[in-house]
Amino acid sequence: MVEVNRKTKETDIRCRIDINGCGKSDIKTGVGFFDHMLEALSKHSGIDIELACDGDLHIDAHHTVEDCGIVLGQALKKAIFPIQAVERYGNATVVMDEAATTCALDLSNRPFLVYEVNVSGKVGDFDVELVEEFFHALAGNAGLTVHIIQDRGRNKHHILEASFKAFAVALRRALAKNERLGIPSTKGVL
């Protein structure tokens, strides 16, 4: 179990994760759609996530979503690195009705995000542009190389949920144990 807490003038966040969990979650950010996405991430990654955020939602959800990405990324970095005896790379395509999104990732300790998801506007009262902010913060703070690509879809909810689930499944696959690999890098360190 790894714990990260972060308090700023904009957010107060408490986060605990267990990367060897079973996908249980207790998420309370005050942003309903975002909570739903984080619950899906937890379930499909197999990572237990407890996350509570008291954010400046009277302004909007930007600081809450981005800062949760920062904290979750910091927790993942503490839990994952230094890595050894895992697959390191993971990929998944997840479909939700008419939508399909693919995620490929590397536990590289070199943060990079490619986010090619063509949605705009809102799902309920959630600004969909915040999903990219979340993944940018998470990848940057976790030290992950992440590519999330929309394959097809029309329904914004389906596209974004497929994106979170594809990331989750790819992460689960990258974290899968593989004792034969030792440190999964020709450099000998990640």
Side-chain angles (χ1 to χ4, degrees), residues 23 25-29 31-47 49 51 65 68 72 94 96 101 115 117 119 123-124 126-128 130-132 134-135 138 155-169:
S25 64
D26 183 11
I27 311 289
K28 295 180 181 76
T29 69
V31 182
F33 180 76
F34 185 51
D35 288 358
H36 178 50
M37 295 300 100
L38 293 179
E39 290 162 357
L41 192 162
S42 173
K43 177 64 176 176
H44 293 282
S45 68
I47 297 173
I49 302 174
L51 188 135
V65 173
C68 285
L72 189 54
V94 169
M96 292 211 44
T101 303
Y115 184 81
V117 177
V119 293
V123 172
F126 181 83
D127 291 315
V128 298
L130 296 180
V131 174
E132 183 173 7
F134 168 78
F135 280 115
L138 186 146
N155 182 291
K156 290 180 274 199
H157 187 127
H158 294 164
I159 293 165
L160 295 177
E161 189 165 349
S163 299
F164 274 85
K165 288 178 176 178
F167 172 80
V169 174

Side-chain angles (χ1 to χ4, degrees), residues 52-69:
C53 178
D54 182 17
D56 56 359
L57 295 177
H58 62 284
I59 295 172
D60 68 9
H62 187 106
H63 299 138
T64 293
V65 173
E66 182 177 29
D67 290 6
C68 285

Side-chain angles (χ1 to χ4, degrees), residues 15-183:
C15 178
R16 291 175 46 149
I17 67 167
D18 182 355
I19 63 170
N20 298 308
C22 58
K24 293 185 298 187
S25 64
D26 183 11
I27 311 289
K28 295 180 181 76
T29 69
V31 182
F33 180 76
F34 185 51
D35 288 358
H36 178 50
M37 295 300 100
L38 293 179
E39 290 162 357
L41 192 162
S42 173
K43 177 64 176 176
H44 293 282
S45 68
I47 297 173
D48 293 346
I49 302 174
E50 296 174 21
L51 188 135
C53 178
D54 182 17
D56 56 359
L57 295 177
H58 62 284
I59 295 172
D60 68 9
H62 187 106
H63 299 138
T64 293
V65 173
E66 182 177 29
D67 290 6
C68 285
I70 290 170
V71 170
L72 189 54
Q74 290 171 345
L76 283 169
K77 184 160 190 138
K78 283 174 70 173
I80 293 171
F81 295 101
I83 67 170
Q84 60 182 358
V86 298
E87 285 294 330
R88 177 181 166 180
Y89 300 99
N91 69 302
T93 298
V94 169
V95 297
M96 292 211 44
D97 297 341
E98 87 300 341
T101 303
T102 298
C103 177
L105 62 80
D106 178 8
L107 308 179
S108 62
N109 209 7
R110 293 185 312 276
F112 197 87
L113 175 67
V114 174
Y115 184 81
E116 296 177 1
V117 177
N118 186 24
V119 293
S120 60
K122 294 181 179 271
V123 172
D125 60 359
F126 181 83
D127 291 315
V128 298
E129 66 195 22
L130 296 180
V131 174
E132 183 173 7
E133 296 297 327
F134 168 78
F135 280 115
H136 182 74
L138 186 146
N141 284 275
L144 306 179
T145 300
V146 179
H147 292 229
I148 300 173
I149 312 295
Q150 175 188 346
D151 301 313
R152 67 192 59 81
R154 292 178 308 281
N155 182 291
K156 290 180 274 199
H157 187 127
H158 294 164
I159 293 165
L160 295 177
E161 189 165 349
S163 299
F164 274 85
K165 288 178 176 178
F167 172 80
V169 174
L171 182 59
R172 185 183 76 223
R173 291 174 178 171
L175 289 169
K177 297 293 183 202
N178 187 332
E179 299 294 334
R180 295 181 315 129
L181 289 178
I183 297 170

